[in-house]
Amino acid sequence: DLLKHLSGHYDTKFPGSKLEAQSYTKIAEDMGLKPEEILFVTDNILEAEAAKVAGMPCVLSIRPGTKDLPEKHEFDTLHSFAELDKIMYEKEAEAE
């Protein structure tokens, strides 16, 4: 149960369509954070693209039923939340 690690739940009523960058900007504002301080994990590449436009780093979650992704895309992928540590470590190393 990862619920204790989540700081909010957002749906199409607030902040709006998950395919629009402004929705992710509203989420960041609601959380009191800058978009670049939030890691967005989704199984929908269109949502990832919108969040990226808003400035959020994104990771695509590959799970049963996930639509096939384009062969070339710019997002890191994971099959388990256990992989997040490795992805975050690599991102920190790239920033140095």
Side-chain angles (χ1 to χ4, degrees):
D1 181 12
L2 296 174
L3 194 56
K4 65 183 177 188
H5 301 288
L6 302 177
S7 57
H9 295 271
Y10 301 93
D11 60 24
T12 55
K13 291 181 183 176
F14 178 82
S17 171
K18 295 190 288 181
L19 303 181
E20 296 177 10
Q22 68 185 15
S23 296
Y24 299 94
T25 303
K26 288 179 185 177
I27 289 170
E29 289 172 359
D30 185 64
M31 294 175 72
L33 298 169
K34 297 176 185 174
E36 59 269 19
E37 296 175 318
I38 300 168
L39 176 65
F40 181 61
V41 180
T42 181
D43 64 353
N44 184 320
I45 195 167
L46 298 177
E47 293 175 2
E49 290 169 348
K52 181 180 180 265
V53 169
M56 284 185 186
C58 304
V59 175
L60 288 170
S61 172
I62 309 299
R63 56 193 187 102
T66 300
K67 291 183 180 181
D68 290 338
L69 296 171
E71 191 170 311
K72 293 185 179 182
H73 62 81
E74 59 189 299
F75 300 103
D76 289 320
T77 60
L78 58 78
H79 293 85
S80 165
F81 282 109
E83 297 173 55
L84 277 176
D85 281 344
K86 180 182 177 208
I87 290 170
M88 296 308 296
Y89 177 78
E90 290 171 355
K91 293 281 185 203
E92 289 174 4
E94 287 174 9
E96 292 177 357

